Structures are given as C-alpha cells and as structure tokens.
C-alpha cells in the first residue's frame, strides 16, 4: 500500500488547478471488501472537479445489500441512477468488460450515477466497485469475488435489488444471457426498466437460424444455411444440402458458426461435409452452443456493419441507420500469412493489427449505401428492436452463388446484392467500436451518443420522466462549433498535444494508448486537448521535395486530427483517412452522406427536448512537419503528452527536440530515455546495484546479418555456452517489449526465428516452435540488433474460479523456484520516484506474454497487488524499494514501467527492461496499479497527474 507521503504527493498534484479532491468518508478505501463490512459502511469517493456531463466515475458507490434492502447514497438527488451490468457466461465476457469500462467512462456524471454489476460465467450476480470494471479481464478478479464484491444469492435477488436501487439498467453483456433475451426477461419480470430490445425480440433475433427465417419472410435476401442440432446429424442430409447448392461434398467451402453465439466466437471455415461436421462438433463440445449453422461462404463479397439508432417517440419507432462501415480484410504482401479461410474473427475484430481496415462510409456505389441504410432501418422496425442495434451483412457486386429467392426481395440491385446476416442487440462499445466510429462521423461524441440512447430508453417508462432530464450540456469535443454555436472555444484553457503512432512494431498499441489518454483528458474543462498522429518514416521518405533527407527527423509528418479520425483500428487507417478526408471527391461524398444522416436523425430528435445538438464538427485534419508542429506547441504553450512507443518516442530523440524548444512533455528526459531504450545500456547503468538486491540478466547482442551468415548449430552452441543456459529468450535490442519476443528451446527454434527475420514475416504462426505458443507478432521492419538472454524459469500460476488453494483463492502456484514475473509502474519527480503496487503477470498460453495479453482488454491476467499467498507484505515493500532505487538511479521522472522478476522471499529484483513510454491502453496494468493506491487514482486522474508532473517540470 502507498505510504502517507505518497498519498500526499498524489493529492497535492490533484489539488492543483482547482482539481479538488472530495473525501466522502475518512475511512480508507478497501478495493477488496472485507467480510465484516457493515451495512452502513461508506466508501470514499475521490472526484476531480470537471464538467458534470463527462465527469468520470471515481468510486461508483457499490450498494451493499441486506435482506434485499439497498443502502442508497445521500447525494443522489434527482440524478438518474443507471445500473451497468457486464460479464455473462459467453466467451465474449471479456469484451463485455471492455464495453462496460467505456460506457462508465463516458456516461457517468454528477447528474447520472452509475452502479456496476457483474454476472460471472456461472450466472452468479455481484455488485462490484467501478474499480473492477478497469480490470483487464474478468479472470483478474473472478477468483476474489467472495471478498471483493457483494454477491446475490439468486438472479431474482439481483432483480429485486435493481428495482429499488436504480432507475434504469444498461446491459452490456454480449452473447448468451445478454443478447438472447435472458437478462431482459429477468428485468421484465421484476418491472425493471432497461436499455435495448425486449426479451422475446432478442430471443428471435439472436438465433441466427430463426432470424434468417424471419428475414426471408419479410422479403430480404438471405444466405442458404443448414442447421446442425446435436451430434447425431444426418450426414446424408448435409451431403444433399451441399449438392443442392452446387458445392462439392468433399471440398465445398462453407462457414460454420454457433447459432446463438454472438458474431465473433466460434466462427470458422470448413471444407466439405466431413470437415463441416467436425467443426460443428468442436463448437458444441467447447460449450459455445448446442446448435450450429452451416452457411455458404460468400466469395468475392465485402462485409459491412451498420449502427441503427431509434430516435422516435415512446410509441412510434423511428430507426435511422448511421453511416455504415465497410470491413476490409488485408494481407500485406507475400510476407504476411494469408489465410484461405480468412474471416472477420475475434482476433481481427478486437486486436489492433493491419489484418483489417475499416472504411466509413463504405467504398460502395451510392445506391448500395442508401439501400444498406434503408434495409437496416426496415429490419430494425420489422424485428421490433429498440433504442439501438448493430446489423452486419455483405455486399456482393456479382453474386455467383445461389442465394435465397422470393418474388419481392429487398437487397437486389443493378450494382449487386445486399445480404443482412447478423443482428447484434448489444453492439460492442469499446472506445473505437463501430458505435462510436459511426456516431462521431455524424456529429455525436461518445458521451452524446450514449446519453441519447439512455434518454430514448427512458421514454418507454413514464415513471422516469421526472428523473430522465440528465444534463444535455455535452462539452465541446471539437475546436470549431459550426454545428452548435453554444460550444465555444475554451478560452484560457491549457493546450495539450497528445502524440501517438510512429513506425515501430508497437505503433498500433501506441494508437490505443494515445486514444485512451486523449479521451480521458477531454473532460477537463481547463484543458484543450488535440490528438496528433506521428506518421511513419515512409510517409516523408517518399517526399519529392528537394533537399529533404529520408533520415531527417525534423521532417517527419505529424497530423492534427479531428475527433472522428482518431477512432480507427490502425495508424495506417488513420493516415489513409487523413489523406482521404482532404481528397475533394471523397470528402464531398462523405460530407453529403453525413448531412443526409444528420437530417434523418433530426426528424426524430427535434421532438425531444433533451437533445440540444450534435457536438462533433466536420473538421479536416491538418498536416505539419515535426519541426512546424513543435514550433506550434511552443507558440501556444502546449504540453506534449508522449504516447509514441519505441522509436523516436522512446529513444530520446523526440525529447531532445522538445527540450531544444523549451516545450514540456510527459515522461523521462532525453538521456534517461536513450539509456532505457537500449536494454544493454540499462543493465550497465544499474550493474553496481547488485549488492543492494538489484540484479541484471546476462545478455549477448547479435547483428541480424551475422545470424544469417553462420551455421545455426554453431550459433546455438555459442549462445548457450556463453550464457550458461539450456533455453534462450530472444528480443529486439532497441524495440518495445511486445513484439519479436520468443522462447527458443533448441537450434531448430532459432532457425525458424531467423528465417522469419530474413523473410520479414509480420508474425510467426502459433505452435511453429517446439513448444506450444500463441501468435508471435514480429517487428516491421526487422531489427538490426537482437538480444539473447537465458530464459528465466518461473513456476506456472493457474488462475481459475474453479480451483481453490489453501487460502480459498482461485489460483494455484507451486512456488518451487520462488521467482515470479512482475510489472510495476513508477511515478513522480526525478530523484523521488514512487513505486506503485507491482502486478504479477500470468501467461495464458506459451512462455511469453502475447501482444493481446499485454494490451488488449478481455485477455491476459494480472494479479494486482501480488496475493499474500505468493509474496508477503514485507517482501513486497522491499521489492518496491528496489524498484524505486532503479528508477532514481536511471533518473526517471514523470512515469515509466519496469518489468522484472522478483524473489518472493527476499524481494530481490532481476531487471528485464524499463519502458519510458509504457502502454496506456484502457486495460493497461498501470491503471490497475493506480487504482490500488490509497486513495485510488482513476484513469482520468492518473493521466491528469502525469500531465501535471510534465507541466510542473517546465516551471
């Protein structure tokens, strides 16, 4: 736990600039609720004074239940009380947690109080602290729920509690129990108002087989399908179905998907009857669904998705489809792993890689876009959906496969065929999800669209009329105010430039980090925050300007971005969108479509007094050289928040350029950044601390070209002899911490890794090496220098709610080696850095944390702080002292993250590496650690603290 001095240090930072910290109780907050918690025990609320419309949750009051009676907060007044329910039994419960985190961030305010609830995989219900919503995955806290949350004996108890404790429920459970009508039926039974479609309509729309039949009945073109129920499917019937649709029974290509399993999990491609039945059996045996759909594979088509928003009255539905998004699967030349069965699966949907690109609006003919919008709106109305939904489908320019046919079909045109395939009643609501991408294109900020959805849901419940008047004063997210003159420029506001992107292999994570920082800082009324993309070297190296050198860092390109262009999947998408936005024809088309959608929306919204206008203007991006951008930052006295991982963002070059112009920035200075970027230099800088309990790992550095020019067996023998080990860890010498890292167990593993470098592969497929592992993302371009280290063996930690150790917690750890891997944030001023509580990192697959496990919400497990059954409080405090000594020796300041192994008995630390621009994604471990402080620092407070530390340094 933090010392009193560290509490004072954080509090003083928050108190500056009128960021008042209000403590609602003198009692210290316990993030893990003690069992003896009394009924009227109150929790601390720590809230920075900000705009009421976007004030984030700090500690959202967890309602303690006794005999079905709720203890209600005294400060509720007439604020609308929203119950946010996440989790669920489906494999998408991790994504549900991501959605809940985003909804909480943008919905919570002084006039709207959000309480958080979690339903685990066994349908047990719990009231949880909003702090837990910021966990990376439900597995982070599933095993601690007994002590962490207030549990309900039955779902009926939850419903009774909700009927008394909240005004309306916002379910964000994806898949089973969330979209199949389960949670809706429960709420309807107990007369609890909720956002979204009713139970019977959900049940019908969620079942893909039933939904397809309903669409066909209403005259929509559908994809022929075959329903598999149970393991005893008649093989001859399926063979006949293959022949009927002109598919070879041995090789015919089909899609196999759960009938009631959401749109991402379990969707796969099969070839022929036998393979189809095998894939169907796998879906059923994995418990995803007991009914499986086999559909034709739509060759040559383009996938799209459209958000539909109901802006009608309580009695008359008026659905409006926003600008649809085209989903383009991408393969980056011969160096990428092109899959013959490529589909828009879970990985492509939720992990930021270049395997997929989004285009909003689609690159379809205008009549096709109009018909997609029209069809989605009709479908929404005919299926009796409510408030909002996401509808997916395909556009086939020239359909060669035989589709369903009826006399009056919707979807056929001269340009091709439109097919609607999936209806999502609870669309994903992550920060850059389709909901927010499409909403921002037509003038809605995150907060505005979410509050509009809640407002509309309240219309159905007359008793909410008096409390549904939540503030419509959404602060300006855009610097111009052509749409709403009531949102002027913030006079006197401190300018902040958030920069992200770059050209390293971690540029996509950088986009996630920068987006998260930008969105968290946007709500502060005294800040004017501008997101900025640092484009790759290729963007300026191709310049035809005479006299510009390709390696001249001053001439790197920086784009100042409007709101909607930030919400993209990859930096390449953002850059393409910038170029596209200033291309006259495309810009004119987008502008016309935007106006059309906004006019359609206003037809319904004009009748609602709670809607006061759109708050995102249709702005264009601005292009600068890095020199011009830094000069602008100096002129407007901006502080630069650096979120560029690796490359010039982390090796000291950007810091040096900013120092030269006197522009303040976040994180360590130029020299410290340069040392920490070089893993060998980092080890040398702290070598003298060995007698103080700080150890370093022996390293061997090799040039990539030398690895290719020497026999593999000789290299392997040389490395294992010098490092005195049997297995190796390989990583880029000067790249980030997430790509190109692998465990090599033999010379053949080394050969495969070197071949991947020679071929410039973007990823090594799962299980290519001698022991099972996940996908290994590779640096692009390949690094010139590589580091080899002994692989440090630690005991496996198994986290599951299904197992119990001697303390009753759901994790198992043998503890034979007495070393565990940790990651820990440090924060503060140079010479007085403070260590946050370390997190024990748990690998779910293989020996190395994957890119997903490090940065993608819904995956990976972190134990924060380390459980006492693994590390004693005494050893923990020693560990933190060692971490602080490392940080101060390296002259770190602002914030950084240190990865290490720690001896759980002595607290000795074995350094892996230091990251001066660590990941700042919504699920980053730094957020978990900040929340474990006393008092806890919520994301918006944490990032504001980092910003204030940077601003103070320049004074």
């Amino acid at each position: 736990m933090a010392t009193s001095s560290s509490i004072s240090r954080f509090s003083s930072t928050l108190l500056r600039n009128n960021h008042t910290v209000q403590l609602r109780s003198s009692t210290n907050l316990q993030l893990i609720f003690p069992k003896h918690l009394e009924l009227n025990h109150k929790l601390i609320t720590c809230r920075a004074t900000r705009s009421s419309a976007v004030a984030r949750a700090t500690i959202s009051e967890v309602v303690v239940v006794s005999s079905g009676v709720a203890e209600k907060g005294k400060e509720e007044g007439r604020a609308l009380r929203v119950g946010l329910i996440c989790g669920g039994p489906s494999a998408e419960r991790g994504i549900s947690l991501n959605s809940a985190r985003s909804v909480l961030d943008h919905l919570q305010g002084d006039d709207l109080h959000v309480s958080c609830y979690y339903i685990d995989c066994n349908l047990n219900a719990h009231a949880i602290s909003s702090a837990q919503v910021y966990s990376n995955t439900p597995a982070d806290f599933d095993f601690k729920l007994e002590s962490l949350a207030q549990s309900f004996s039955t779902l009926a108890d939850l419903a009774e509690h909700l009927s008394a404790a909240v005004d309306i429920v916002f379910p964000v459970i994806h898949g089973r129990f969330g979209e199949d009508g389960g949670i809706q039926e429960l709420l309807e039974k107990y007369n609890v108002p909720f956002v979204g479609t009713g139970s019977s309509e959900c049940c019908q729309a969620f079942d893909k087989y039933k939904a397809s039949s309903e669409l066909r009945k209403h005259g929509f073109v559908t994809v022929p399908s075959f329903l598999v129920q149970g393991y005893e499917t008649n093989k001859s019937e399926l063979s006949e179905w293959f022949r009927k649709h002109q598919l070879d029974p041995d090789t015919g290509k089909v899609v196999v998907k759960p009938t009631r399993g959401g749109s991402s999990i379990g969707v796969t491609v099969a070839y022929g009857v036998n393979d189809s039945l095998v894939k169907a059996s796998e879906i059923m045996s994995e418990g995803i669904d007991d009914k499986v759909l086999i559909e034709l594979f739509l060759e040559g088509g383009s996938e799209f998705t459209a958000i539909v928003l109901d802006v009608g009255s309580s009695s008359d539905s008026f659905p409006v489809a926003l600008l649809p998004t085209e989903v383009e699967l991408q393969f980056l030349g011969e160096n990428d792993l092109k899959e013959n069965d490529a589909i828009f699966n879970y990985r492509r949907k939720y992990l930021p890689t270049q395997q997929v690109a989004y285009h909003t609006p689609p690159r379809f003919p205008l009549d096709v876009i109009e018909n997609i919008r029209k069809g989605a709106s009709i479908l929404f109305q005919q299926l009796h959906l409510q408030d909002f939904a996401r509808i997916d489908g395909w556009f086939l320019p020239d359909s060669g496969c035989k589709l369903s046919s009826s006399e009056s079909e919707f979807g056929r045109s001269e340009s091709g065929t439109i097919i609607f395939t999936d209806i999502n009643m609870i669309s994903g609501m992550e920060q850059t999800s389709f909901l927010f991408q499409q909403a921002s294109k037509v003038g809605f900020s995150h907060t505005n669209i979410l509050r509009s959805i809640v407002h509309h849901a309240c219309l159905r419940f007359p008793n909410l009329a008096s409390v549904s008047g939540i503030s419509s004063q959404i602060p300006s997210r855009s610097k111009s105010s052509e749409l709403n003159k009531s949102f002027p420029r913030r006079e006197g506001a401190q300018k902040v430039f958030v920069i992200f992107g770059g050209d390293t292999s971690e540029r996509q994570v950088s986009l996630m980090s920068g987006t998260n920082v930008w969105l968290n800082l946007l709500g502060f009324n005294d800040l004017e925050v501008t997101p900025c993309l640092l484009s790759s070297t290729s963007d300026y190296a191709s310049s035809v300007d005479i006299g510009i050198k390709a390696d001249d860092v001053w001439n790197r390109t920086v784009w100042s971005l409007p709101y909607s262009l930030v919400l993209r999947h990859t930096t390449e998408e953002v850059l393409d969108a910038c170029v596209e936005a200033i291309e006259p024809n495309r810009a004119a088309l987008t502008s016309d479509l935007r106006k059309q959608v906004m006019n359609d929306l206003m037809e319904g919204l004009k009748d609602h007094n709670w809607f006061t206008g759109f708050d995102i203007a249709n702005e264009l991006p601005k292009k600068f050289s890095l020199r011009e951008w830094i000069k602008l930052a100096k002129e407007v006295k901006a502080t630069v928040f650096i979120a560029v991982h690796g490359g010039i963002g982390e090796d000291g070059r950007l810091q040096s350029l900013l120092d030269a112009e006197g522009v303040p920035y976040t994180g360590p200075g130029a020299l410290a950044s340069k040392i920490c970027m070089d893993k060998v230099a980092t080890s040398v800088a702290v070598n003298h601390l060995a007698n103080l309990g700080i150890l370093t790992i022996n390293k061997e550095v090799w040039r990539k070209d030398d690895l290719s020019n020497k026999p593999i067996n000789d290299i392997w023998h040389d490395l294992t002899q010098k490092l005195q080990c049997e297995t190796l860890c390989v990583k880029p010498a000067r790249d980030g911490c997430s790509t190109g890292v692998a465990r090599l167990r033999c010379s053949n593993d080394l050969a495969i890794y070197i071949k991947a470098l020679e071929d410039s592969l973007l990823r090594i497929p799962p299980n290519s090496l001698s022991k099972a592992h996940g996908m290994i993302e590779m640096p692009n371009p390949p690094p010139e220098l590589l580091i080899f280290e002994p692989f440090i063996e630690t005991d496996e930690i198994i986290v599951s709610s299904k197992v119990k150790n001697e303390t009753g917690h759901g994790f198992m750890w043998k503890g034979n080696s007495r070393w565990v891997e940790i990651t820990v944030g440090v924060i503060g001023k140079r010479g007085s850095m403070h260590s946050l509580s370390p997190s024990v990192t748990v690998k779910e697959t293989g020996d190395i944390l994957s890119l997903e496990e490090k940065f993608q919400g819904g995956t990976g497990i972190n134990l924060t702080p380390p459980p006492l059954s693994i590390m004693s409080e005494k050893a923990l405090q020693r560990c933190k002292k060692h971490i602080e000594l490392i940080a101060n020796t390296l002259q770190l300041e602002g914030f950084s993250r240190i990865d290490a192994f720690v001896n759980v008995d002595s607290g000795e630390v074995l350094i892996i590496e230091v990251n001066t621009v660590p990941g700042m994604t919504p699920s980053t471990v730094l957020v978990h650690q900040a929340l474990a402080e006393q008092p806890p620092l919520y994301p918006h407070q944490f990032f504001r603290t980092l910003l204030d530390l940077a601003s103070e340094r320049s004074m």
Side-chain angles (χ1 to χ4, degrees):
M1 297 299 178
T3 62
S4 58
S5 60
S6 67
I7 295 173
S8 175
R9 188 154 56 242
F10 285 123
S11 297
S12 64
T13 305
L14 286 170
L15 284 165
R16 269 183 217 95
N17 298 320
N18 295 322
H19 296 288
T20 307
V21 176
Q22 300 172 335
L23 299 183
R24 206 158 59 191
S25 167
S26 60
T27 310
N28 284 337
L29 175 74
Q30 297 295 318
L31 289 183
I32 300 178
F33 294 89
K35 289 183 177 293
H36 62 270
L37 189 67
E38 297 296 332
L39 179 64
N40 58 0
H41 181 78
K42 292 182 180 179
L43 302 178
I44 287 178
T45 292
C46 178
R47 177 170 293 159
T49 301
R50 302 170 359 127
S51 165
S52 63
V54 293
R56 307 289 199 270
T58 51
I59 298 299
S60 182
E61 185 162 349
V62 175
V63 183
V64 182
V65 181
S66 177
S67 304
V69 178
E71 168 86 356
K72 301 177 183 178
K74 295 179 181 180
E75 298 179 354
E76 288 173 349
R78 297 309 298 158
L80 189 70
R81 300 168 300 163
V82 177
L84 185 63
I85 303 183
C86 63
S90 86
E92 290 185 274
R93 59 185 170 275
I95 301 303
S96 168
L97 190 63
N98 297 347
S99 292
R101 185 189 306 122
S102 184
V103 172
L104 177 64
D105 270 349
H106 299 289
L107 199 58
Q108 172 82 10
D110 292 339
D111 57 347
L112 192 154
H113 294 171
V114 180
S115 301
C116 301
Y117 301 87
Y118 171 70
I119 294 177
D120 65 23
C121 57
N122 298 314
L123 292 181
N124 298 309
H126 314 270
I128 62 172
S129 160
S130 58
Q132 299 314 313
V133 176
Y134 293 95
S135 297
N136 197 38
T137 165
D140 281 0
F141 61 86
D142 263 344
F143 71 97
K144 298 185 289 188
L145 277 171
E146 288 182 12
S147 58
L148 182 77
Q150 180 68 36
S151 301
F152 299 92
S153 299
T154 64
L155 289 174
D157 288 344
L158 168 67
E160 288 182 353
H161 160 72
L162 291 171
S163 66
V166 305
D167 296 309
I168 191 166
V169 166
F170 199 140
V172 291
I173 298 175
H174 304 308
R176 281 194 299 128
F177 196 68
E179 295 181 87
D180 63 359
I183 186 68
Q184 293 82 2
E185 185 178 13
L186 175 71
L187 297 172
E188 287 166 351
K189 182 177 179 181
Y190 287 86
N191 297 313
V192 180
F194 60 89
V195 173
T197 300
S199 62
S200 60
E201 292 80 9
C202 279
C203 182
Q204 177 175 265
F206 184 68
D207 187 305
K208 294 180 178 66
Y209 189 74
K210 290 180 181 178
S212 181
S213 300
E214 191 68 16
L215 262 64
R216 199 158 43 246
K217 187 171 73 176
H218 285 293
F220 286 86
V221 180
T222 58
V223 184
S225 59
F226 184 91
L227 183 64
V228 176
Q229 298 188 76
Y231 295 94
E232 304 301 322
T233 299
N234 190 317
K235 184 176 177 181
S236 62
E237 289 182 10
L238 182 56
S239 298
E240 178 58 32
W241 181 85
F242 265 70
R243 282 188 287 269
K244 176 183 175 182
H245 296 289
Q246 302 170 13
L247 293 173
D248 188 310
D250 296 321
T251 60
K253 191 174 179 181
V254 294
V255 176
V256 182
K257 62 173 86 170
T259 301
R260 301 163 298 185
S263 60
S264 305
I265 301 294
V267 183
T268 186
V269 170
Y271 294 85
V273 173
N274 291 334
D275 191 32
S276 299
L277 291 175
V278 168
K279 298 283 177 60
S281 296
E282 289 173 354
I283 289 172
M284 290 184 283
S285 63
E286 290 172 10
I288 297 173
D289 200 355
D290 57 5
K291 294 200 302 181
V292 178
L293 212 58
I294 298 174
E295 293 181 341
L296 296 184
F297 188 98
L298 300 176
E299 298 278 6
S302 297
E303 193 167 359
F304 66 80
T305 186
I307 297 293
V308 183
L309 190 66
D310 190 355
V311 293
S313 66
S314 58
S315 56
D316 294 318
S317 173
F318 189 84
V320 176
L322 306 184
L323 285 181
T325 299
E326 174 192 354
V327 179
E328 179 193 11
L329 297 185
Q330 292 187 325
F331 303 97
L332 307 179
E334 60 184 16
N335 296 330
D336 202 0
L337 301 171
K338 184 160 185 175
E339 304 167 38
N340 293 325
D341 57 356
I343 53 176
F344 189 42
N345 58 16
Y346 183 91
R347 178 182 174 83
R348 290 187 177 91
K349 185 175 288 187
Y350 296 115
L351 184 68
T353 69
Q354 289 179 260
Q355 291 182 295
V356 65
Y358 302 140
H359 305 278
T360 309
R363 301 165 302 173
F364 303 158
L366 193 57
D367 67 307
V368 173
I369 296 174
E370 291 172 351
N371 279 323
I372 287 173
R373 293 191 60 233
K374 179 181 176 182
S377 298
I378 292 172
L379 194 155
F380 186 98
Q381 203 157 34
Q382 290 183 340
L383 294 181
H384 305 290
L385 308 184
Q386 294 176 164
D387 300 327
F388 78 115
R390 195 187 85 228
I391 298 174
D392 303 337
W394 288 79
F395 167 57
L396 303 172
D398 181 21
S399 177
C401 57
K402 184 175 176 58
L403 302 170
S404 67
S405 179
S406 66
E407 292 184 3
S408 57
E409 289 183 320
F410 183 92
R412 297 195 187 277
S413 70
E414 291 183 3
S415 300
T417 304
I418 298 166
I419 309 168
F420 295 104
T421 57
D422 287 280
I423 298 121
N424 300 270
M425 277 64 66
I426 302 177
S427 175
M429 284 169 270
E430 295 178 295
Q431 286 182 344
T432 58
S433 66
F434 293 124
L435 173 65
F436 300 125
Q437 284 185 31
Q438 295 182 21
S440 66
K441 273 290 186 182
V442 294
F444 288 103
S445 67
H446 287 64
T447 297
N448 201 356
I449 187 66
L450 288 173
R451 290 191 165 218
S452 295
I453 289 169
V454 172
H455 269 304
H456 187 270
C458 288
L459 295 176
R460 292 195 300 277
F461 308 99
N463 61 316
L464 292 182
S466 63
V467 292
S468 64
I470 40 184
S471 173
S472 56
Q473 295 179 11
I474 310 297
S476 175
R477 307 299 195 151
S478 220
K479 300 304 173 286
S480 81
S481 45
E482 63 175 275
L483 293 173
N484 195 322
K485 301 299 182 183
S486 65
F487 299 135
R489 195 181 192 91
R490 296 176 185 178
E491 295 298 332
Q494 178 187 347
K495 307 295 191 297
V496 181
F497 291 175
V498 179
I499 188 168
F500 47 84
D503 58 359
T504 73
S505 56
E506 291 188 286
R507 61 191 177 278
Q508 316 307 357
V509 176
S510 171
L511 174 59
M512 294 172 67
S513 292
T515 301
N516 188 45
V517 170
W518 164 64
L519 287 171
N520 270 281
L521 293 178
L522 267 182
F524 288 97
N525 280 333
D526 63 334
L527 299 180
E528 187 176 305
V529 191
T530 303
C532 304
L533 173 73
L534 174 67
S535 64
S536 66
T537 51
S538 59
D539 182 48
Y540 71 85
S542 60
S543 173
V544 296
D545 293 345
I546 298 175
I548 292 181
K549 297 180 181 179
D551 60 351
D552 186 355
V553 70
W554 275 117
N555 291 298
R556 293 284 293 272
T557 300
V558 178
W559 291 84
S560 174
L561 303 172
Y563 194 107
S564 66
L565 292 195
V566 185
L567 308 178
R568 300 300 171 116
H569 202 64
T570 65
T571 56
E572 288 75 17
E573 258 192 273
V574 177
L575 181 58
D576 288 346
C578 288
V579 174
E580 189 177 83
I582 58 178
E583 195 279 314
N585 292 336
R586 178 69 176 178
L589 172 65
T590 301
S591 179
D592 288 345
L593 287 171
R594 170 188 163 94
K595 289 175 184 175
Q596 181 181 328
V597 175
M598 293 171 78
N599 287 337
D600 292 344
L601 288 165
M602 283 308 299
E603 278 297 306
L605 291 172
K606 63 180 171 48
D607 297 325
H608 303 305
N609 58 13
W610 42 261
F611 185 73
T612 59
F614 301 100
D615 56 332
I616 301 299
N618 188 25
E619 297 180 313
L620 294 177
K622 296 177 182 177
K623 186 177 181 179
F624 303 89
S625 69
L626 184 57
R627 182 190 299 273
E628 293 168 338
W629 181 79
I630 292 176
K631 183 180 179 182
L632 176 64
K634 182 179 181 178
E635 287 176 357
V636 301
K637 299 180 180 179
T639 298
V640 173
F641 201 119
I642 300 176
V644 179
H645 302 314
I648 72 168
E650 209 163 349
D651 65 7
R653 283 182 289 168
L654 180 56
Q655 290 80 0
S656 291
L657 297 177
L658 293 167
D659 282 336
E661 295 297 324
V663 176
Y665 55 87
T666 55
L671 180 59
S673 297
K674 182 178 181 180
I675 290 172
C676 292
M677 185 64 169
D678 186 327
K679 298 177 179 68
V680 175
T682 304
S683 293
V684 171
V686 296
N687 253 341
H688 64 286
L689 303 177
N691 292 333
L692 299 176
I694 296 169
L695 311 174
T696 58
I697 303 173
N698 292 330
K699 294 174 173 61
E700 283 288 316
V701 181
W702 279 67
R703 295 186 60 82
K704 175 172 67 73
D705 292 343
D706 293 339
L707 290 171
S708 300
N709 296 327
K710 191 173 180 180
I712 294 293
N713 288 335
D714 291 351
I715 298 173
W716 182 261
H717 181 267
D718 185 38
L719 286 170
T720 52
Q721 287 297 307
K722 285 184 177 179
L723 296 173
Q724 298 182 339
C725 62
E726 294 182 0
T727 66
L728 301 169
C729 179
V730 60
K731 61 182 73 171
R734 294 192 178 95
D735 209 334
C737 59
S738 305
T739 54
V741 184
R743 181 179 186 179
L744 309 178
R745 294 173 171 272
C746 60
S747 59
N748 189 54
D749 286 352
L750 176 60
I752 292 170
Y753 188 91
I754 293 173
K755 186 71 166 61
L757 293 173
E758 292 172 345
D759 294 344
S760 298
L761 289 185
L762 299 180
R763 53 194 64 87
I764 297 176
N767 306 324
S768 297
L769 305 180
S770 57
K771 186 184 176 184
H773 62 85
M775 183 81 76
I776 300 173
E777 300 282 341
M778 296 294 287
N780 181 33
E784 290 302 316
L785 296 175
L786 291 133
I787 287 177
F788 292 91
E789 302 171 342
F791 184 85
I792 307 299
E793 201 76 61
T794 58
D795 292 317
E796 183 180 21
I797 300 174
I798 300 173
V799 177
S800 171
S801 58
K802 298 178 182 178
V803 301
K804 298 287 182 183
N805 61 15
E806 64 276 4
T807 65
H809 288 127
F811 68 87
M812 301 296 293
W813 177 65
K814 293 179 181 178
N816 294 330
S817 76
R818 312 308 294 164
W819 289 86
V820 295
E821 186 175 348
I822 61 167
T823 185
V824 55
V826 289
I827 182 172
K829 297 180 180 180
R830 189 189 306 179
S832 58
M833 295 294 282
H834 165 71
S835 171
L836 302 177
S837 285
S839 300
V840 175
T841 55
V842 180
K843 298 174 285 289
E844 294 186 295
T845 58
D847 298 301
I848 305 291
L849 283 174
S850 68
L851 188 66
E852 290 100 323
E853 289 170 334
K854 283 206 172 187
F855 298 112
Q856 181 60 31
T859 61
I861 300 171
N862 295 294
L863 307 180
T864 310
L868 288 173
S869 56
I870 291 181
M871 184 185 297
S872 69
E873 180 64 24
K874 186 176 180 180
L876 176 61
Q877 293 305 321
R878 284 179 183 164
C879 169
K880 291 174 72 171
K881 290 297 182 186
H882 289 143
I883 293 294
E884 289 172 354
L885 179 56
I886 294 168
N888 292 325
T889 299
L890 293 172
Q891 294 193 309
L892 301 182
E893 57 188 308
F895 73 113
S896 295
R897 195 191 76 229
I898 298 174
D899 298 338
F901 297 99
V902 61
N903 185 289
V904 297
D905 299 316
S906 66
E908 282 182 303
V909 170
L910 179 61
I911 301 175
I912 299 173
E913 60 192 7
V914 179
N915 299 276
T916 54
V917 185
M920 291 168 277
T921 64
S923 56
T924 180
V925 71
L926 291 183
V927 169
H928 312 165
Q929 294 173 8
L931 286 166
E933 289 293 295
Q934 297 294 340
L937 281 174
Y938 274 73
H940 67 280
Q941 298 167 322
F942 179 63
F943 293 124
R944 181 59 193 253
T945 299
L946 304 184
L947 180 68
D948 289 344
L949 284 168
S951 300
E952 288 171 11
R953 188 165 61 188
S954 68
M955 295 177 183

